[in-house]
Amino acid sequence: MAEPNVITKQDLIESAKTCIVKNGVNKLTLKAVAEGAGVTQGTVYYHFKTKDQLMVEVVSDMCQTSWDRLERMKKNSDQQVKEWIQTGLQSASKRNSSDSFYHSLFYSLITASLHNNKIREQISGLLTYENQVLEKQIEAVAGKELYGVSAEVWSVLMNALIDGLAIQSMMIEDFDANKAFKGLETLLIKQMEDNQPST
């Protein structure tokens, strides 16, 4: 099959995001992505062999964008630590909102990965990437250890907390995600500020 030269993989990922926003995750198809991008289905199949592969790429793209934004913010001053935490949690909170599709897409992939080793490997890679990026960012703002716990473990715990809040937001109708995120923000800022070296 000849390589399409008119549209990029990123264009198709953006088309997929638009399709999901307009019609929901359940109505995402490779055909809908092709129509949204104004290309043939063959062009989409060239880049993505399956819908699951496309979904993994959409989730990965959203993660990369969020982590890149935080990476640009990391600094060592107290005020910047606070802003870094607030920005990170605001981003996570937005992904938990009722009009966001990120976690429904992510958990659909988790479910699919239980029976599909290729998806499991991709999700494992994505989670590992997130943990490693967050570990480096935590080290940059708070050092290699907080209260006797390594930045590596903190990164896993923080990502698990965010994903756990997403599950509760999706499953409990009257779950107050704003209250939970505000409490988490207060806790994290206090821990990070307490861990800053005194001047």
Side-chain angles (χ1 to χ4, degrees):
M1 182 184 300
E3 182 175 349
N5 58 9
V6 178
I7 196 161
T8 67
K9 189 176 187 179
Q10 188 62 41
D11 293 331
L12 296 173
I13 289 170
E14 295 304 320
S15 177
K17 290 179 190 176
T18 301
C19 288
I20 295 169
V21 168
K22 286 182 180 176
N23 305 313
V25 172
N26 293 333
K27 294 190 179 174
L28 176 67
T29 64
L30 297 180
K31 180 180 179 184
V33 171
E35 289 172 358
V39 297
T40 66
Q41 260 185 275
T43 301
V44 178
Y45 279 109
Y46 175 81
H47 292 285
F48 308 103
K49 304 300 181 225
T50 65
K51 176 181 170 181
D52 287 338
Q53 183 185 3
L54 172 63
M55 290 169 54
V56 168
E57 293 282 347
V58 170
V59 167
S60 295
D61 181 74
M62 293 176 74
C63 285
Q64 181 74 46
T65 301
S66 293
W67 290 115
D68 286 349
R69 188 176 317 119
L70 281 177
E71 181 71 20
R72 289 189 296 271
M73 290 193 66
K74 69 179 184 185
K75 300 286 179 202
N76 286 321
S77 75
D78 287 345
Q79 182 60 31
Q80 300 220 347
V81 167
K82 184 176 180 179
E83 289 174 14
W84 176 79
I85 290 170
Q86 289 171 332
T87 300
L89 290 177
Q90 285 169 1
S91 176
S93 179
K94 284 180 188 173
R95 289 200 277 186
N96 279 358
S97 66
S98 60
D99 61 344
S100 174
F101 61 84
Y102 174 82
H103 278 102
S104 59
L105 188 61
F106 180 69
Y107 288 119
S108 294
L109 288 168
I110 294 286
T111 302
S113 76
L114 298 175
H115 305 287
N116 184 317
N117 286 334
K118 183 168 174 83
I119 296 173
R120 182 179 300 141
E121 288 171 12
Q122 291 172 310
I123 295 299
S124 172
L126 179 62
L127 291 170
T128 299
Y129 162 78
E130 285 195 306
N131 290 338
Q132 290 171 344
V133 171
L134 185 55
E135 177 184 356
K136 288 178 186 169
Q137 292 184 1
I138 290 170
E139 284 180 1
V141 297
K144 290 191 176 285
E145 196 173 279
L146 274 81
Y147 300 107
V149 178
S150 71
E152 177 185 9
V153 171
W154 273 103
S155 70
V156 172
L157 293 173
M158 287 176 63
N159 278 329
L161 274 169
I162 300 301
D163 290 340
L165 287 172
I167 290 173
Q168 295 202 38
S169 293
M170 291 169 60
M171 297 294 134
I172 302 172
E173 189 173 325
D174 59 349
F175 181 72
D176 191 346
N178 289 332
K179 182 178 178 182
F181 272 100
K182 193 64 183 164
L184 182 57
E185 177 184 312
T186 300
L187 177 66
L188 292 175
I189 288 172
K190 176 82 171 125
Q191 289 175 334
M192 296 286 189
E193 288 179 344
D194 285 353
N195 204 58
Q196 291 291 302
S198 53
T199 53

